[in-house]
Amino acid sequence: IVPTIISSLTFPYIKHFVDKLTMRLFYHDSYQVRDILNRLTDVLIAASGTQQIMSRSMEVLGSAIHPSSIYVAVVDKKGSIVDDDGAVPLNFHVITKDVHLKKHIIVSRDEHENTKIAHEMDIAGAGLILVLKHKKSVVGYVFFGMKKSGGSYTSKDIQLLTISAKNLAIALENA
């Protein structure tokens, strides 16, 4: 009877430990979209200024999707860079011209295999481009490198970034 009591008292703790260990070992790229969006909202509310918005929000998004690199550029109505993190690709204007024409919020390298935009994204080291739009005008771009794992961006990543794009655009427009 004593072993039964001990095991019934310790089982929840052991199960919790094994569950956490399993998540870390086998699902290290796993995240909850809602949790990341809550963290991003907290950052956008607390951040003051474009640089803080860019750096802190990219930390949050990067912790979820694990890109090899992130480059951010805020642009004016003419498409000229007004603020960036100092690492914007040299072929920025070539890429953004193509992105404008496609009118997407997200442009994925995998979706444009063997095209000019894919070639330019390869040169820039971008696996995915997030277009930040507010009131039909582009306020910025986020270039995400390929995933550190070597895999493709998932539909969950795309969902997270699509929702994040709207919030980031509004925050940058108001900064």
Side-chain angles (χ1 to χ4, degrees):
I1 192 152
V2 172
T4 304
I5 293 172
I6 291 174
S7 64
S8 67
L9 292 174
T10 59
F11 179 76
Y13 299 106
I14 293 170
K15 182 182 180 314
H16 179 71
F17 172 77
V18 171
D19 288 346
K20 278 182 77 172
L21 184 62
T22 302
M23 286 298 287
R24 280 196 186 154
L25 292 175
F26 299 106
Y27 302 102
H28 58 276
D29 278 346
S30 181
Y31 60 88
Q32 295 297 319
V33 171
R34 181 179 53 237
D35 294 342
I36 300 302
L37 290 174
N38 287 341
R39 286 179 47 210
L40 181 63
T41 299
D42 291 345
V43 163
L44 295 177
I45 290 169
S48 61
T50 306
Q51 286 294 329
Q52 270 192 352
I53 291 169
M54 290 189 312
S55 64
R56 291 181 182 172
S57 59
M58 291 310 110
E59 286 174 16
V60 171
L61 293 174
S63 72
I65 63 173
H66 305 290
S68 57
S69 58
I70 303 176
Y71 312 114
V72 182
V74 178
V75 297
D76 62 16
K77 298 208 186 298
K78 296 177 185 174
S80 300
I81 299 172
V82 294
D83 204 350
D84 64 36
D85 58 5
V88 174
L90 295 175
N91 59 346
F92 171 82
H93 290 291
V94 174
I95 292 173
T96 55
K97 178 182 173 194
D98 286 340
V99 171
H100 270 311
L101 296 175
K102 298 195 180 305
K103 297 183 180 177
H104 290 298
I105 291 177
I106 294 183
V107 177
S108 171
R109 163 68 179 83
D110 294 340
E111 292 176 357
H112 296 82
E113 196 69 36
N114 299 321
T115 63
K116 180 182 175 190
I117 189 71
H119 175 70
E120 295 296 336
M121 287 176 77
D122 287 343
I123 291 171
L128 191 119
I129 301 171
L130 184 63
V131 183
L132 306 176
K133 294 181 183 181
H134 181 62
K135 295 182 180 176
K136 296 187 180 184
S137 69
V138 175
V139 297
Y141 298 90
V142 183
F143 292 73
F144 292 95
M146 302 306 282
K147 288 191 80 150
K148 287 180 183 176
S149 66
S152 296
Y153 287 97
T154 65
S155 59
K156 188 176 183 179
D157 296 335
I158 301 299
Q159 176 191 17
L160 171 66
L161 293 174
T162 301
I163 297 168
S164 300
K166 296 169 187 167
N167 295 334
L168 281 167
I170 292 168
L172 289 171
E173 187 71 20
N174 293 334

